Amino acid sequence: MRVNPINPETMNEEVRYVHDEVFKLITNSQGPVSMINDEGALTGPFPPMLRFPQFGIPALSFVRSLDNHATLSKKIREVAILTVGAAYGARFELYAHEIMARHFGFSAAAVASLASGIRPAELNQEEAIAYEIASVLSKGRIIPNSAYNLAKEILEEDGLAELIFLIGAYTLLATVLNGFDVLS
């Protein structure tokens, strides 16, 4: 890891406020995934985001906005996130979201497939189209019209827009995680 967790006591007021807000958010929403070390510092993508707040705080705001306005099911979101994590080999993203996917009801086999970049057979129609869209975008490709139109039919226009922005957000997170070699 290239940026170590930051002790909250050493932060300036602005960064400490963000730290405390993130701390509250993850203790409420990330349930089974531990993202706090023994000293009370945030781990995962948060150390680089807090170390470079001019970039990290806007990124956190974007991700939080997606959470605050989420309409897609947790399972659809996890399919997209794991697909991005697998495409980028983002170890922490895979670690955290493999746990979350199991928590939301995916089988161990489905989680293993998604984390390996393989579409599981057990996905429902909405989850399958989320996998297809995330897979295409994670390869840096344009979504074919046929896939876009099918996704719009299945998820509706707002759901598809949410999915595309979610994929973009987790692509950003995967890049940050990989750039700073975040393991835990």
Side-chain angles (χ1 to χ4, degrees):
M1 211 161 120
R2 296 179 175 132
V3 176
N4 292 321
I6 303 167
N7 183 323
E9 302 304 319
T10 66
M11 297 174 181
N12 70 33
E13 189 175 317
E14 176 193 14
V15 175
R16 177 64 188 256
Y17 174 79
V18 173
H19 172 278
D20 292 349
E21 289 299 305
V22 170
F23 184 89
K24 284 189 267 183
L25 179 68
I26 64 169
T27 53
N28 289 332
S29 68
Q30 296 296 327
V33 180
S34 176
M35 288 194 249
I36 302 160
N37 70 11
D38 293 339
E39 289 79 43
L42 294 167
T43 61
F46 303 112
M49 293 177 148
L50 295 171
R51 169 68 179 85
F52 304 101
Q54 69 273 32
F55 310 120
I57 292 173
L60 285 169
S61 295
F62 177 48
V63 173
R64 188 166 185 189
S65 176
L66 287 165
D67 289 341
N68 289 340
H69 300 285
T71 61
L72 296 173
S73 76
K74 301 260 188 210
K75 289 181 84 173
I76 292 171
R77 292 170 59 89
E78 292 305 319
V79 166
I81 294 166
L82 282 172
T83 302
V84 170
Y88 282 83
R91 292 177 290 185
F92 184 83
E93 197 164 277
L94 290 170
Y95 154 75
H97 290 280
E98 285 177 15
I99 293 169
M100 296 302 293
R102 287 297 307 270
H103 179 73
F104 294 128
F106 281 109
S107 70
V111 172
S113 291
L114 287 166
S116 298
I118 300 167
R119 178 181 162 185
E122 72 182 58
L123 299 182
N124 68 26
Q125 185 180 33
E126 292 86 4
E127 296 157 3
I129 197 65
Y131 175 85
E132 296 303 325
I133 299 298
S135 182
V136 167
L137 291 176
S138 293
K139 293 174 185 158
R141 305 275 191 253
I142 295 171
I143 303 166
N145 284 337
S146 57
Y148 183 89
N149 291 332
L150 179 60
K152 192 165 120 176
E153 180 181 313
I154 293 170
L155 301 173
E156 299 182 356
E157 188 172 36
D158 286 349
L160 176 54
E162 179 184 340
L163 178 64
I164 292 169
F165 281 103
L166 179 74
I167 293 163
Y170 278 86
T171 298
L172 169 63
L173 289 174
T175 301
V176 169
L177 291 165
N178 285 348
F180 291 102
D181 195 23
V182 176
L183 303 174
S184 59

